[in-house]
Amino acid sequence: MAFESSPNVLDKTYSFDGLKVFVDQASLLYLEGASVDYVETLEGAGFKFDNPTCARPAACGSSFSA
């Protein structure tokens, strides 16, 4: 994940309340059906991915097997 000001040639562009999100073609395969949220907790803040097609989620929630 990175901040970008414009999409690359093959990126798919999504817009959410004025926020543009660019996703490359390879990542689309892994993100199909997934939802992303930004959460703030006592432990910290960051993006939370919920992927129902995830075969085996990691305990920390930061990586998974597809």
Side-chain angles (χ1 to χ4, degrees):
M1 222 193 277
F3 290 103
E4 301 287 343
S5 57
S6 60
N8 289 319
V9 176
L10 298 176
D11 287 353
K12 177 103 170 148
T13 302
Y14 298 91
S15 185
F16 302 96
D17 295 326
L19 173 68
K20 288 185 180 179
V21 177
F22 310 122
V23 182
D24 63 274
Q25 286 186 338
S27 296
L28 282 174
L29 297 172
Y30 298 104
L31 295 173
E32 182 70 34
S35 63
V36 181
D37 194 10
Y38 184 80
V39 295
E40 294 182 35
T41 66
L42 293 175
E43 293 85 25
F47 292 99
K48 177 183 176 194
F49 291 81
D50 180 28
N51 189 338
T53 62
C54 178
R56 185 177 46 99
C60 63
S62 61
S63 63
F64 62 90
S65 300

